[in-house]
Amino acid sequence: FMHFASRMLKPEPKERGTAPAMIVFCAFDQQWELIEAARKHGFAHYINLVFRKKSSPSVLKANMRIVGNAEYGLVLYRGKLPKFNNRGRMVMNVMEWTRELGAPKVHPTQKPIPLLESLIDLFTDPGDVVIDPCAGSGSTLVAAANLGRQPFGFEIDRRFVKAFNEQMVGAVTEGLPL
């Protein structure tokens, strides 16, 4: 995966503030393993991300006193800091997990389109290419298309491709909020 991703990412430009980056969602305990794998494939630097949810699927475990309500991610980049379209605002590494109401659920680890749109808006410009090599539900592709980016995705599980084509594409063509 890292080899594939490193080859798909465009070369690092000479100009500052325009370098590409890769975002990987992961479990907390997967972060160091991914950082080490990324370094072996040319991604020398990272920024960790924490996405704070308003609730947790762990609340059903009544005997627990502390429940997890966070998702984690990594921004991986080569040498120069990646492009940030922050419009003069500070970008914090802890972000709110934006919920989607009424969006079709296609994949068990599906990310909300508004959250993906905010990340895509932050790291890319209109017309840029957004690649999701593990597309799952296709929500990254929908988010990228919504923002005028060129989305490309790959998914090996035909069930998710079929569900994406039936549910997500159908929702977009029907004008449902995504």
Side-chain angles (χ1 to χ4, degrees):
F1 171 79
M2 286 293 176
H3 175 73
F4 173 78
S6 70
R7 298 194 37 89
M8 293 299 292
L9 207 62
K10 72 179 185 178
E12 193 165 87
K14 293 180 182 176
E15 305 86 27
R16 292 184 71 191
T18 60
M22 177 171 69
I23 299 174
V24 178
F25 287 91
C26 59
F28 177 80
D29 56 354
Q30 292 175 319
Q31 292 180 86
W32 291 115
E33 181 182 344
L34 284 168
I35 290 165
E36 290 303 316
R39 284 186 177 146
K40 291 176 185 172
H41 290 91
F43 296 99
H45 305 284
Y46 69 92
I47 301 168
N48 66 318
L49 300 175
V50 179
F51 301 96
R52 184 177 41 226
K53 295 180 174 182
K54 294 192 186 311
S55 64
S56 170
S58 300
V59 296
L60 298 176
K61 299 177 181 174
N63 62 343
M64 295 180 69
R65 300 261 187 240
I66 298 174
V67 295
N69 69 326
E71 293 255 349
Y72 302 91
L74 294 167
V75 178
L76 303 170
Y77 59 101
R78 292 183 183 119
K80 296 178 183 163
L81 275 172
K83 175 189 304 183
F84 288 106
N85 295 322
N86 59 346
R87 297 164 188 82
R89 294 173 293 174
M90 190 178 308
V91 178
M92 304 291 204
N93 75 325
V94 177
M95 302 174 182
E96 294 299 323
W97 185 271
T98 315
R99 290 188 63 204
E100 283 179 294
L101 300 175
K105 184 77 169 169
V106 172
H107 191 277
T109 62
Q110 182 172 322
K111 309 301 182 263
I113 290 172
L115 173 70
L116 296 169
E117 285 176 342
S118 67
L119 292 170
I120 291 167
D121 183 53
L122 181 62
F123 291 103
T124 67
D125 292 322
D128 281 355
V129 172
V130 173
I131 300 171
D132 188 347
C134 302
S137 68
S139 55
T140 301
L141 308 177
V142 172
N146 288 349
L147 295 173
R149 277 50 169 190
Q150 298 177 53
F152 295 92
F154 308 92
E155 178 55 53
I156 61 171
D157 191 324
R158 292 174 193 240
R159 295 173 300 158
F160 295 130
V161 173
K162 183 177 185 229
F164 168 75
N165 286 326
E166 291 172 357
Q167 295 177 32
M168 297 292 272
V169 173
V172 170
T173 57
E174 293 171 20
L176 295 177
L178 294 179

